[in-house]
Amino acid sequence: MTSLDDAGGFGAGTALPPLPEDWERCLAVAAHPDDIEYGTASVVARWTAQGKQVAYLLATRGEAGIDGLHPDVAGPLREAEERAGAREVGVDTVEFLDHPDGTIEYGPALRRDIVRAIRRHRPEIVVSGAYTVRMVAGVTNQADHRVVGLAALDAARDAGNRWIFPELADEGLEPWGGVRCVCVAGAERPTHAVDVSGEPLERGIASLAAHAEYTKGLGAQTFDPRAFLTWTARQGGPALGVEAAVLFDVHMLAFEGPPPWEQ
């Protein structure tokens, strides 16, 4: 069995605490349709079953993701698949920012768009993807993933500062400093885990399976969603002492309880 130390997050070498679930609203931010479905959707299924509100924010419509389809065709197709996948895990709100697939630029425009969504949805946690060059198991990360992951982390703080993007106040969007943490999926060094054994994993598999045309368009890289997600979740399970788990690197933006110098 590989370990967390050896493989950057797939295995059971280090025990991890469960991700706190004493909150009600989450915003999941990703670069492309299908990014959330590579594990995080199983967690979303667990949370929506608990009655939590989860919304999706996609930076692109994934229009450059299928080699055999022109972007004008692929974009609407992938949008439809994302909405179908979201429904499988209890998510009705799926929004797209229309940044260019494959060439998203990190900067104020992207951060502002994410801040706008955070101020509208007022989440207590934000979930996004790895923003490092290497991600889980040492896999080299994709450019859009890195850009959007970092922008989501930064925007979670920006959203609470009225002097960053003050023009959003003209849209009626007051600052929201209530994001407690940003949970990064696919990170090399996870800090927390979520149990997705049983029904959450099954619903996550159905969510990824909804991206049938996209996965078919991968050609030789096509894979079976059930086999892939089951394997990865079982690799993470021992870190929490459960059958299947999804691991996150959690960035706390606020202290849980009194700060250490007051304890």
Side-chain angles (χ1 to χ4, degrees), residues 56-207:
Y56 284 2
L57 182 70
L58 287 299
T60 79
R61 296 179 192 267
E63 66 273 10
I66 302 177
D67 183 69
L69 287 182
H70 189 278
D72 290 347
V73 177
L77 171 63
R78 297 199 67 196
E79 176 186 347
E81 288 189 334
E82 180 62 24
R83 294 188 187 280
R87 287 193 294 271
E88 293 286 351
V89 293
V91 174
D92 297 321
T93 301
V94 182
E95 300 172 355
F96 297 85
L97 296 177
D98 286 324
H99 286 260
D101 184 13
T103 57
I104 306 173
E105 294 184 359
Y106 180 92
L110 177 61
R111 284 168 54 196
R112 182 188 298 111
D113 284 345
I114 300 174
V115 168
R116 180 182 287 111
I118 291 173
R119 290 188 180 183
R120 281 193 294 103
H121 292 288
R122 301 169 76 83
E124 294 155 271
I125 74 166
V126 170
V127 175
S128 192
Y131 50 82
T132 50
V133 174
R134 291 195 184 276
M135 50 188 298
V136 61
V139 175
T140 300
N141 205 355
Q142 194 264 356
D144 286 349
H145 297 165
R146 302 198 305 267
V147 167
V148 173
L150 183 58
L153 178 60
D154 292 339
R157 274 213 171 100
D158 296 340
N161 189 329
R162 71 174 60 256
W163 307 121
I164 298 177
F165 311 124
E167 63 274 20
L168 294 179
D170 296 335
E171 301 177 20
L173 297 173
E174 289 299 309
W176 171 248
V179 178
R180 292 166 47 185
C181 63
V182 178
C183 305
V184 178
E188 276 194 287
R189 302 295 174 192
T191 61
H192 292 72
V194 179
D195 184 359
V196 296
S197 306
E199 184 65 17
L201 179 58
E202 288 298 316
R203 293 177 64 192
I205 291 168
S207 185

Side-chain angles (χ1 to χ4, degrees), residues 228-247:
F228 173 79
L229 290 178
T230 299
W231 181 78
T232 55
R234 287 180 176 171
Q235 290 291 305
L240 194 60
V242 298
E243 179 182 357
V246 174
L247 312 184

